[in-house]
């Protein structure tokens, strides 16, 4: 009887410690994320030489010319070189307005660091399958249907048929009238 009570207390304490460890892990993850966000905010502010709260391509490119900045980006998982600054800028510029604000900078950089998540991989796979189907449909429209259109003179017109097929394809896939 006493042994059952001691075992019960031991098990209850072990469960409490496990719950506490899980809570600590969550708190550590949140703290690490907040620390990363602060680091990115500091990086952004250093790059924003004119203090406008936004980076244009010239500011961003000039900032990533510094090898110390490139080393910092590599440390956080981004391979930023002076040669790919323009490409990275365009990927981070989420609203395509030619400038990056702090929110875009942090959100854009967060997309490129860390391990690829299974959700991201699944989304890419689905998008690739959808694009492949659309390309196959377009190929069918341009090669299979186009020769069957006839002009008023009764001759096959590939250009006219291709235009008609493409218009038909667009309306089917975009919902256009």
């Amino acid at each position: 009887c006493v042994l059952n009570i001691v075992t019960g207390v031991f098990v209850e304490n072990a469960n409490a410690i496990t719950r506490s460890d899980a809570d600590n892990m969550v708190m550590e993850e949140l703290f690490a994320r907040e620390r990363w966000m602060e680091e990115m905010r500091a990086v952004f502010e250093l790059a924003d030489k004119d203090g406008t709260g936004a980076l244009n391509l010239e500011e961003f490119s000039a900032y990533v010319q510094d090898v110390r900045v490139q080393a910092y980006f590599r440390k956080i998982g981004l391979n930023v070189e002076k040669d790919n600054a323009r490409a990275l800028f365009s990927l981070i510029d989420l609203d395509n307005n030619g400038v990056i604000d702090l929110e875009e900078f942090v959100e854009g950089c967060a997309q490129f660091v860390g391990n690829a998540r299974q959700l991201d991989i699944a989304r890419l796979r689905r998008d690739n399958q959808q694009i492949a189907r659309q390309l196959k449909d377009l190929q069918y429209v341009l090669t299979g249907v186009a020769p069957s259109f006839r002009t008023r003179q009764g001759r096959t017109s590939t250009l006219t048929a291709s235009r008609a097929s493409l218009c038909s394809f667009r309306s089917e896939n975009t919902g256009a009238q």
Side-chain angles (χ1 to χ4, degrees):
C1 184
V2 173
L3 188 57
N4 287 339
I5 292 172
V6 171
T7 303
V9 170
F10 179 74
V11 169
E12 183 60 35
N13 285 338
N15 285 337
I17 290 170
T18 302
R19 280 193 300 274
S20 177
D21 284 349
D23 292 344
N24 286 338
M25 288 174 49
V26 169
M27 293 304 290
E28 286 176 18
E29 182 65 32
L30 290 173
F31 179 73
R33 180 152 174 79
E34 184 62 33
R35 188 174 56 239
W36 185 84
M37 300 271 278
E38 288 299 323
E39 288 177 9
M40 295 309 293
R41 188 174 291 116
V43 167
F44 180 84
E45 289 171 357
L46 287 172
D48 185 19
K49 298 288 186 196
D50 59 7
T52 60
L55 297 176
N56 59 30
L57 178 60
E58 290 76 30
E59 280 179 303
F60 184 77
S61 295
Y63 186 64
V64 299
Q65 297 294 320
D66 186 348
V67 293
R68 292 172 299 183
V69 172
Q70 293 172 12
Y72 174 75
F73 276 116
R74 274 193 299 279
K75 177 187 146 234
I76 65 168
L78 278 172
N79 187 19
V80 179
E81 305 286 335
K82 57 186 172 186
D83 299 336
N84 67 356
R86 178 182 299 272
L88 180 61
F89 182 88
S90 67
L91 291 171
I92 293 174
D93 185 14
L94 301 174
D95 59 6
N96 295 319
N97 66 351
V99 294
I100 300 171
D101 62 18
L102 177 61
E103 183 179 334
E104 277 180 307
F105 183 74
V106 172
E107 188 177 327
C109 288
Q111 290 179 32
F112 302 113
V113 297
N115 297 327
R117 294 176 217 106
Q118 289 186 9
L119 178 62
D120 294 331
I121 293 170
R123 185 178 311 133
L124 288 172
R125 187 175 289 137
R126 185 205 60 215
D127 290 348
N128 282 339
Q129 288 171 346
Q130 184 179 11
I131 290 169
R133 278 193 303 272
Q134 289 175 341
L135 284 173
K136 188 181 283 186
D137 291 346
L138 181 60
Q139 181 182 11
Y140 171 76
V141 166
L142 294 177
T143 60
V145 177
S148 67
F149 284 88
R150 300 268 177 203
T151 62
R152 287 189 182 146
Q153 291 80 19
R155 294 179 306 213
T156 302
S157 170
T158 305
L159 182 59
T160 303
S162 295
R163 285 183 183 156
S165 297
L166 189 55
C167 290
S168 172
F169 176 78
R170 282 183 183 157
S171 66
E172 290 172 9
N173 289 296
T174 62
Q177 297 297 325

